[in-house]
């Protein structure tokens, strides 16, 4: 039950992030819904397909798509009321990253995936939707060129794996991983942490 709740919260948070980009590109309402939905469930769908857990839960549980649509229009409603909406979106997105990192690691672990797979699927779940979102608006995905984003998810997935050695229950591991990844992402944003670049553009 906890995993479902966190998955839904992550979906809602990422749907808002997708809606923000749709508005930035001045898309119509269909584009708004598509970007919000792809961002909200894209990483989870990719994870489930790769793990062989099909059909993906986002396509069988009727709550996911309405949550994405709700998040999209909540953003439309709030963006005109709050001047600092961009900063709020960054915090919400960081929270979504924490939620989905924990969900991805926990689902891979539940399906008896290997250690590296658990870490990988934590990152895929957390960053996959954002990659699809950026590609739909013809951008190089942000996770590949800037921000301490997928890296935070990989570290969060590693933490989830390490917590196995402390004999903690699934609930504790999920909550600790969520909180750690969220705080790490906020710290990275505040201090403008990025991985080294490969070189100057020619």
């Amino acid at each position: 039950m906890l995993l479902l709740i966190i998955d839904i919260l992550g979906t809602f948070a990422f749907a808002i992030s997708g809606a923000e980009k749709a508005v930035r590109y001045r898309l119509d309402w269909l584009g708004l819904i598509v970007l919000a939905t792809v961002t909200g469930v894209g990483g989870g769908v990719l994870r489930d397909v790769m793990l062989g857990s099909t059909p993906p839960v986002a396509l069988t549980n009727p709550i996911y798509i309405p949550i994405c649509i709700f998040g999209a229009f909540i953003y439309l409603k709030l963006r005109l009321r709050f001047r600092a909406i961009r900063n709020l979106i960054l915090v919400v997105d960081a929270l979504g990253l924490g939620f989905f990192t924990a969900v991805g690691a926990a689902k891979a672990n539940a399906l008896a995936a290997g250690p590296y797979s658990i870490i990988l699927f934590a990152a895929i779940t957390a960053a996959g939707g954002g990659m699809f979102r950026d590609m739909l608006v013809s951008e190089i995905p942000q996770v590949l060129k800037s921000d301490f984003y997928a890296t935070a998810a990989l570290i969060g997935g590693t933490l989830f794996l390490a917590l196995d050695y402390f004999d903690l229950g699934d609930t504790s591991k999920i909550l600790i991983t969520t909180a750690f990844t969220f705080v790490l992402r906020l710290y990275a944003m505040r201090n403008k942490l990025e991985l080294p670049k490969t070189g100057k553009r020619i």
Side-chain angles (χ1 to χ4, degrees):
M1 186 62 180
L2 174 65
L3 200 60
L4 177 61
I5 292 172
I6 288 183
D7 202 20
I8 290 172
L9 290 174
T11 299
F12 179 72
F14 272 14
I16 291 175
S17 172
E20 188 269 340
K21 181 149 287 192
V23 169
R24 203 188 315 166
Y25 276 87
R26 301 174 61 85
L27 303 186
D28 61 19
W29 279 19
L30 177 59
L32 171 79
I33 292 171
V34 168
L35 236 60
T37 302
V38 165
T39 311
V41 303
V45 169
L46 180 60
R47 175 204 63 225
D48 288 350
V49 169
M50 292 180 71
L51 283 170
S53 180
T54 56
V57 66
L59 302 182
T60 56
N61 189 322
I63 195 171
Y64 284 91
I65 304 303
I67 284 291
C68 292
I69 297 172
F70 179 65
F73 285 100
I74 282 290
Y75 173 75
L76 276 186
K77 187 75 173 177
L78 294 181
R79 73 185 181 91
L80 299 177
R81 295 190 177 188
F82 297 98
R83 292 183 179 179
I85 188 69
R86 176 61 182 163
N87 291 333
L88 178 61
I89 293 302
L90 290 173
V91 173
V92 169
D93 189 66
L95 187 58
L97 183 76
F99 285 142
F100 273 176
T101 296
V103 168
K107 287 201 171 185
N109 187 54
L111 291 173
Y116 294 118
S117 295
I118 290 173
I119 297 170
L120 177 64
F121 283 112
I124 286 174
T125 308
M131 290 184 64
F132 291 140
R133 174 201 64 205
D134 292 346
M135 288 189 290
L136 282 174
V137 293
S138 300
E139 288 185 2
I140 297 174
Q142 290 294 320
V143 298
L144 300 181
K145 65 176 183 176
S146 65
D147 286 345
F148 200 80
Y149 198 86
T151 307
L154 288 168
I155 295 172
T158 303
L159 172 66
F160 183 94
L161 189 64
L163 291 173
D164 268 341
Y165 294 99
F166 295 92
D167 198 27
L168 298 174
D170 287 342
T171 298
S172 296
K173 290 192 293 185
I174 289 169
L175 292 177
I176 292 171
T177 301
T178 298
F180 174 82
T181 309
F182 172 59
V183 171
L184 178 60
R185 173 61 181 151
L186 290 182
Y187 177 82
M189 287 192 296
R190 182 177 181 84
N191 293 279
K192 296 180 170 40
L193 296 183
E194 291 187 356
L195 294 178
K197 298 293 190 293
T198 55
K200 294 182 179 179
R201 183 179 296 178
I202 299 176

